[in-house]
């Protein structure tokens, strides 16, 4: 394992212009044209939800606007909105510029992946299908590989909350990564303590996996048969959540939890803090890790993702608001 060179630069954001949904913004994915999809309203075992009876939502934000605002996307009829509990998300744009949105969903504390087609003209999502499989047991995040295929992380081996807690307490490395397509479903990487965020390098050669409670990011090489092999592990000093990739530089942006246990305690006197890291040149001998943003919870609680577009930064959270920033 390689230890990162951490630059403790503190807050370097020039302005905080707008707060977004108050029911969480657990994951964010930004299209090349600046349209940002935001998942909101996650109910996760052990973490208090600010709106436990409100279904989850997907928001859209156009970062090309001078003062962008989050707009809720309408979801087509026939989809069970009442039990919608969105978690990680990923987009795929095909050769005809059709946009597909993959959403990890936890209806009734189960795990599915919902596939939508984005209709920009009326800000809506058309539900195409619900994906279930015995290997998709406790899905946290996905990264799209095609219009109906993806890699997914299972953050726990067990689905039952008590067994999940026991798994974490015992330090069992039973978490994994699964590849899914209509023709083939298989485990492609294993041995993680808590596989969380997942993403792909701009050249599509490497898959990055955040192991939240092991405080590290794994680099995996992707092969023609979709199997993954371990390349290196970058050790950090914080709990790493979702990973976003700058398509121009290949830099990895991560929403992090300096003290993850605070997420599980609803204590207004001891709020969960927020932190954003930027990793440059992760394949080099000495990657550069910069702490771009820190907050003690007074502004932003429990940061889970950070995504960039043309000098703008969106920071999302598990259950709190999101921040729109200019770098």
């Amino acid at each position: 394992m390689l230890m990162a060179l951490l630059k403790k630069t503190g807050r370097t954001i020039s302005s905080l212009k707008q707060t977004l949904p108050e029911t969480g913004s657990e994951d964010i994915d930004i299209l090349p044209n600046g349209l940002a999809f935001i998942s909101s309203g996650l109910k996760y075992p052990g973490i208090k939800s600010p709106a436990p009876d409100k279904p989850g939502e997907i928001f859209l934000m156009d970062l090309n606007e001078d003062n962008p605002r989050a707009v809720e996307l309408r979801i087509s009829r026939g989809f069970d909105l009442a039990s919608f509990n969105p978690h990680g998300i990923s987009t795929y744009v095909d050769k005809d510029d059709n946009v597909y949105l993959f959403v990890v969903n936890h209806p009734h504390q189960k795990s599915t992946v919902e596939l939508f087609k984005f209709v920009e003209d009326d800000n809506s999502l058309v539900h195409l299908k619900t994906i279930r499989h015995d290997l998709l047991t406790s899905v946290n995040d996905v990264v799209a590989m095609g219009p109906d295929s993806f890699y997914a992380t299972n953050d726990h081996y067990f689905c039952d909350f008590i067994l999940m807690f026991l798994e974490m307490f015992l330090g069992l490395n039973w978490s994994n990564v699964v590849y899914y397509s209509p023709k083939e479903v298989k485990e492609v990487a294993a041995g993680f303590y808590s596989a969380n965020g997942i993403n792909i390098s701009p050249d599509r050669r490497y898959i990055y996996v955040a192991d939240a409670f092991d405080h590290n990011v794994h680099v995996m090489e992707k092969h023609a048969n979709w199997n993954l092999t371990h390349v290196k592990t970058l050790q950090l000093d914080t709990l790493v959540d979702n990973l976003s990739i700058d398509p121009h530089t290949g830099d990895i942006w991560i929403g992090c939890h300096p003290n993850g246990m605070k997420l599980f305690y609803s204590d207004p006197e001891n709020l969960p803090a927020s932190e954003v890291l930027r990793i440059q040149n992760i394949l080099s001998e000495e990657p550069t890790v910069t702490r771009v943003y820190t907050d003690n919870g007074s502004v932003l609680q429990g940061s889970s993702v950070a995504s960039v577009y043309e000098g703008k930064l969106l920071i999302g959270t598990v259950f709190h608001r999101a921040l729109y920033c200019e770098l």
Side-chain angles (χ1 to χ4, degrees), residues 254-265:
I254 317 175
C256 304
H257 308 286
N259 187 335
M261 293 308 297
K262 290 185 180 181
L263 288 171
F264 296 92
Y265 297 102

Side-chain angles (χ1 to χ4, degrees), residues 49-70:
S49 170
D53 299 321
K54 182 180 180 182
E57 301 161 291
I58 302 294
F59 287 87
L60 185 73
M61 194 171 181
D62 188 349
L63 298 180
N64 298 293
E65 297 177 354
D66 291 335
N67 295 292
R69 61 190 182 91

Side-chain angles (χ1 to χ4, degrees), residues 210-230:
D211 195 328
F213 288 100
D214 233 5
H215 304 148
N216 55 43
V217 175
H218 298 267
V219 180
M220 317 289 291
E221 185 175 3
K222 179 173 69 70
H223 300 285
N225 62 359
W226 302 105
N227 287 341
L228 303 178
T229 56
H230 180 265

Side-chain angles (χ1 to χ4, degrees), residues 144-163:
M145 292 291 104
D148 55 4
S149 61
F150 55 85
Y151 288 107
T153 56
N154 286 308
D155 55 16
H156 294 85
Y157 178 83
F158 296 107
C159 302
D160 178 80
F161 174 65
I162 295 177
L163 292 178

